[in-house]
Amino acid sequence: MGKTSKDKRDIYYRLAKEEGWRARSAFKLLHIDDTFGIFDGVHRAVDLCAAPGSWSQVLSKKLFRSCLTDDEKLAVKIIAVDLQAMAPLQGVVQIQGDITKESTAEAIIQHFSSDTHLKAQLVVCDGAPDVTGVHEMDEYMQNQLIVSALSIATFVLEPGGKFVAKIFKGNDNCLLESQMRAFFTNFRIYKPPSSRSSSIEAFVVCSGFHLPAGYIPQIINPARDDIRSLSLRTGSATNRRLIPFIACGDLNGAIDDDTANLDNDISLEDIEMTYDAIMGESDSTEDFKLLLNDVFLQEIALRKLQIAEK
Ligand code: SAM
């Protein structure tokens, strides 16, 4: 049975048609709002990976409808971004681009960067790479989108802001959670009823945004950036420890690759330097826990021990 006939049986597919949503995904965001009230008090939002635009439709409807005056309506800002072009939507500014690229991130940040531009209160990302069917690879690609979405959020979100992003449920979402909790006071993983039970997708729903002490926002291109270079670029060891390792996917999929890279690419000097850069600044138990959670750093710590034993 083809995809089309399956979709036609789906209640949310039919409802989307009836109610004029561009995709059935609209109901996922609506269900997330029903459960977490993500639109409460929100006037400025960024919709990453937005095409064909049903989440932007929801944002537009919710953010404009809550306005009582024309001035409030003028203050509404919705920035929608996707690789693909999208049919125009009233009140939504569109940027066509790849969210993992620096130029796209800069174009988004520009809308929230000067004194006259207030920061965003909500960033949502429903990004999905082309699925290969190889779970580890799909999860890795999905995580790259989350890394990019989170790095953009660190620039554009106001303190206390909210973040919603699609994830692929892996065997160990604890890694993702430990990193997200560094940036958000509240973290939940939620699967809305409109998300097909056969799909491994779920959504992280975070609120209470804050920058961790010592973290300097930086645009991260997961495909380009060597994770060792991230702290060197900003001069902050906290940057090295946070965000990038989400790009490793879950432990099952990525640990071998990381270990292989270490064998080939990292010199003794690199190991010493990275270890000292991280642990030199850290004496808290919390930092040590993060170190232990990081596959790459675990390997460095192991190497350090092996070197010491020789
Ligand atoms: N939320 C959308 C809606 O309700 O209409 C549906 C989003 S669709 C599931 C996933 C989107 O992610 C696709 O439109 C795809 O072009 C976009 N995407 C995937 N990788 C991207 C990237 N690197 N940068 C920007 N968009 C990307």
Side-chain angles (χ1 to χ4, degrees), residues 32-308:
I32 292 170
D33 181 48
D34 287 347
T35 310
F36 298 97
I38 55 167
F39 300 127
D40 295 351
V42 170
H43 304 291
R44 297 175 299 279
V46 178
D47 182 6
L48 299 172
C49 304
S54 77
W55 280 27
S56 289
Q57 284 180 296
V58 172
L59 282 167
S60 170
K61 185 173 166 191
K62 293 282 182 179
L63 272 49
F64 282 106
R65 282 239 177 116
S66 65
C67 293
L68 300 174
T69 63
D70 285 347
D71 279 352
E72 277 184 10
K73 279 188 185 151
L74 283 174
V76 169
K77 184 185 273 187
I78 302 165
I79 310 291
V81 189
D82 201 284
L83 283 170
Q84 300 174 47
M86 232 165 80
L89 271 170
Q90 207 174 4
V92 177
V93 175
Q94 292 187 26
I95 297 172
Q96 190 175 353
D98 180 341
I99 65 158
T100 68
K101 293 254 162 69
E102 204 160 318
S103 53
T104 312
E106 273 163 2
I108 301 164
I109 292 163
Q110 206 186 310
H111 284 273
F112 300 96
S113 59
S114 79
D115 288 347
T116 48
H117 296 157
L118 293 172
K119 291 203 156 197
Q121 296 149 315
L122 172 67
V123 173
V124 296
C125 178
D126 189 26
D130 288 337
V131 174
T132 64
V134 179
H135 176 73
E136 283 80 7
M137 175 61 88
D138 293 339
E139 193 184 349
Y140 176 83
M141 301 293 285
Q142 185 67 25
N143 284 343
Q144 295 215 332
L145 289 181
I146 300 174
V147 171
S148 295
L150 185 55
S151 79
I152 291 166
T154 61
F155 281 93
V156 304
L157 269 184
E158 68 176 26
K162 301 168 203 174
F163 181 78
V164 173
K166 172 147 72 195
I167 60 165
F168 286 168
K169 279 202 323 200
N171 294 333
D172 188 356
N173 288 122
C174 299
L175 290 171
L176 177 69
E177 178 171 351
S178 71
Q179 296 294 282
M180 288 288 183
R181 281 196 186 279
F183 292 88
F184 297 93
T185 311
N186 306 301
F187 170 95
R188 293 285 296 275
I189 293 180
Y190 175 68
K191 187 166 177 74
S194 42
S195 171
R196 291 190 174 98
S197 52
S198 56
S199 160
I200 57 165
E201 77 170 10
F203 294 85
V204 292
V205 184
C206 307
S207 61
F209 171 72
H210 55 270
L211 283 177
Y215 186 85
I216 300 165
Q218 67 181 133
I219 297 169
I220 296 167
N221 179 337
R224 181 207 60 198
D225 287 324
D226 177 326
I227 60 174
R228 283 168 296 150
S229 71
L230 293 167
S231 61
L232 299 178
R233 262 202 278 143
T234 59
S236 162
T238 312
N239 283 46
R240 165 64 189 79
R241 216 178 46 230
L242 296 171
I243 295 193
F245 96 86
I246 296 174
C248 294
D250 69 20
L251 281 169
N252 296 324
I255 193 164
D256 289 340
D257 293 344
D258 273 356
T259 312
N261 284 343
L262 275 167
D263 277 337
N264 296 331
D265 302 342
I266 298 186
S267 69
L268 209 81
E269 213 179 5
D270 278 338
I271 294 171
E272 296 279 353
M273 202 179 73
T274 312
Y275 185 88
D276 291 346
I278 292 150
M279 291 314 288
E281 286 190 20
S282 160
D283 55 3
S284 82
T285 320
E286 213 39 51
D287 283 348
F288 192 64
K289 268 198 237 151
L290 279 167
L291 173 71
L292 290 181
N293 267 340
D294 187 321
V295 176
F296 183 83
L297 295 181
Q298 278 172 18
E299 184 63 23
I300 284 177
L302 198 70
R303 291 299 182 90
K304 178 91 180 160
L305 271 178
Q306 284 168 352
I307 292 162

